[in-house]
């Protein structure tokens, strides 16, 4: 007999607790270093080498933004329990978008960690994604979170599949908002965020998914005709796209 699945909020809480338990006691390497002029002081660095000490917000931000750690995986493990809660609560600010956070996850190589370390990270990302799609006012909008999880995992496929499977009014509202955010870049054949993986392939996958799945779904839920036409144009190429009477006049 299988236990009933947890509600999204309870599942996310459990995933956050799982990260805290898994990475309790983790520290940066004893010989880890960084530039005292551009990153922070020796005292700040010592905090990363001290287990289970809360980092003050600016130090946490400087830590995940830095890309030049000797052992990025160890640094991510050290901050992940605190960083994950800050992310969920909307207390992490990225300069150009949340894809930056996902890129840092990738640089830390977490998908290659042993299963007992990688699995809780997968569960956190998946639980957060479902919680966002089923919530009314997520701290991180769905279109930003998709960029984060896609960059963190190197793939769009499972995240889009989850969205497609959640055929609820709230998930559809997030889809309409996301499509509106994405249509300018996608109509210019560009991924809506600065992708670090195969941006061209991700752009093609996201475009095809919107044309195949989002268009009929949004039409059935009464989305504005202007948005529906812009999604339709994603399936049109060349002069037929630019010459369409509903072309929005974007200039690139």
């Amino acid at each position: 007999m299988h236990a009933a699945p947890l509600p999204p909020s309870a599942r996310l809480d459990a995933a956050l607790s799982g990260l805290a338990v898994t990475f309790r006691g983790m520290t940066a390497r004893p010989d880890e270093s960084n530039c005292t002029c551009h990153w922070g002081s020796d005292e700040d660095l010592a905090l990363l080498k001290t287990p289970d000490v809360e980092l003050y917000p600016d130090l946490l931000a400087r830590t995940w933004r830095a890309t030049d750690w000797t052992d990025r995986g160890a640094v991510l493990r050290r901050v992940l329990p605190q960083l994950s809660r800050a992310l969920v609560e909307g207390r992490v600010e990225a300069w150009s978008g949340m894809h930056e956070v996902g890129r840092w996850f990738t640089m830390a190589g977490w998908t290659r960690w042993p299963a007992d370390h990688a699995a809780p990270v997968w569960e956190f990302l998946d639980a957060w994604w479902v919680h966002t799609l089923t919530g009314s006012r997520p701290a991180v909008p769905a279109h930003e979170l998709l960029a984060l999880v896609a960059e963190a995992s190197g793939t769009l496929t499972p995240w889009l599949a989850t969205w497609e499977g959640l055929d609820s009014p709230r998930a559809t509202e997030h889809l309409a908002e996301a499509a509106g955010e994405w249509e300018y870049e996608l109509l210019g054949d560009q991924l809506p965020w600065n992708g670090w993986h195969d941006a061209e392939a991700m752009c093609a996958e996201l475009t095809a998914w919107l044309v195949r799945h989002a268009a009929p779904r949004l039409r059935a839920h009464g989305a504005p005709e202007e948005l529906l036409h812009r999604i339709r144009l994603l399936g049109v190429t060349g002069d037929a796209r630019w010459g369409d009477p509903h072309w929005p006049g974007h200039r690139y």
Side-chain angles (χ1 to χ4, degrees), residues 124-198:
F124 161 63
L125 294 175
D126 194 48
W128 185 18
W129 180 231
V130 172
H131 183 267
T132 295
L133 293 179
T134 55
S136 57
R137 292 184 178 180
V140 177
H143 66 277
E144 283 280 358
L145 183 51
L146 182 65
L148 187 157
V149 296
E151 290 301 311
S153 62
T155 178
L156 274 170
T157 304
W159 316 108
L160 295 180
T162 295
W163 207 341
E164 188 167 340
L166 292 172
D167 190 12
S168 67
R170 282 182 177 172
T172 303
E173 288 171 7
H174 294 311
L175 180 58
E177 180 183 359
E181 292 286 339
W182 292 331
E183 57 89 12
Y184 177 87
E185 287 83 3
L186 291 178
L187 283 172
D189 296 318
Q190 301 169 9
L191 190 66
W193 60 87
N194 185 14
W196 206 40
H197 300 281
D198 189 339

Side-chain angles (χ1 to χ4, degrees), residues 25-30 32-34 39 41-56 59-64 66 69 71 74-80 82 104:
M26 297 290 178
T27 67
R29 281 174 34 170
E32 188 63 81
S33 62
N34 213 308
W39 178 78
S41 67
D42 289 338
E43 290 77 12
D44 286 343
L45 190 59
L47 290 176
L48 294 183
K49 300 175 183 180
T50 305
D52 306 325
V53 173
E54 191 87 353
L55 307 182
Y56 57 92
L59 176 56
L60 180 65
R62 282 186 278 119
T63 298
W64 76 257
W69 299 110
D71 188 338
V75 175
L76 178 58
R77 286 177 171 96
R78 166 63 179 87
V79 304
L80 195 49
Q82 183 180 352
W104 194 61

Side-chain angles (χ1 to χ4, degrees), residues 54-131:
E54 191 87 353
L55 307 182
Y56 57 92
D58 182 62
L59 176 56
L60 180 65
R62 282 186 278 119
T63 298
W64 76 257
R65 285 177 179 146
T67 60
D68 53 352
W69 299 110
T70 302
D71 188 338
R72 290 186 287 259
V75 175
L76 178 58
R77 286 177 171 96
R78 166 63 179 87
V79 304
L80 195 49
Q82 183 180 352
L83 178 62
S84 60
R85 291 192 176 276
L87 284 166
V88 167
E89 294 168 7
R91 293 186 284 107
V92 172
E93 295 184 8
W95 289 320
S96 62
M98 296 302 288
H99 63 274
E100 295 176 4
V101 182
R103 184 178 302 168
W104 194 61
F105 273 60
T106 290
M107 293 174 71
W110 70 274
T111 57
R112 300 186 299 275
W113 292 351
D116 59 337
H117 281 186
V121 183
W122 273 112
E123 173 58 16
F124 161 63
L125 294 175
D126 194 48
W128 185 18
W129 180 231
V130 172
H131 183 267

